[in-house]
Amino acid sequence: SKARGSTKKGAVGAGEIQVQKSPAEFFAENQAIAGFDNPGKSLYTSLRELVENGLDAAESINQLPEIDIELKEYTMHEFNV
């Protein structure tokens, strides 16, 4: 199969081709590195990122954050309606 992304020769060994991928391509192929290799870990990683981004934003404007999180589990039927 043909590799996606650009190819370039650089600091790799003689005759080897280095494939450059976008971050989206890399993490789509390596979901475990990003924390998205199973549903529970995906939920945790997403919530952690949202909270960290909120804390960073509040810190950047020197204001105490107000973060509320509510989780609700939906059945497949509720989710698809």
Side-chain angles (χ1 to χ4, degrees), residues 1-39:
S1 79
K2 187 175 180 181
R4 296 179 67 188
S6 63
T7 59
K8 64 180 181 179
K9 292 188 179 192
V12 295
E16 292 182 36
I17 296 176
Q18 181 178 1
V19 177
Q20 184 174 2
K21 297 179 181 183
S22 72
E25 289 175 314
F26 175 81
F27 285 115
E29 293 173 4
N30 300 281
Q31 293 180 358
I33 293 172
F36 291 97
D37 53 339
N38 70 57

Side-chain angles (χ1 to χ4, degrees), residues 31-48:
Q31 293 180 358
I33 293 172
F36 291 97
D37 53 339
N38 70 57
K41 205 169 171 186
S42 297
L43 177 61
Y44 167 77
T45 300
S46 298
L47 287 173
R48 187 190 73 226

Side-chain angles (χ1 to χ4, degrees), residues 49-64:
E49 282 297 313
L50 288 169
V51 170
E52 286 178 358
N53 290 347
L55 292 172
D56 290 343
E59 183 180 36
S60 73
I61 60 171
N62 295 318
Q63 192 165 347
L64 290 175

Side-chain angles (χ1 to χ4, degrees), residues 73-81:
E73 186 172 358
Y74 290 94
T75 66
M76 282 302 267
H77 176 73
E78 292 171 317
F79 184 75
N80 290 319
V81 171

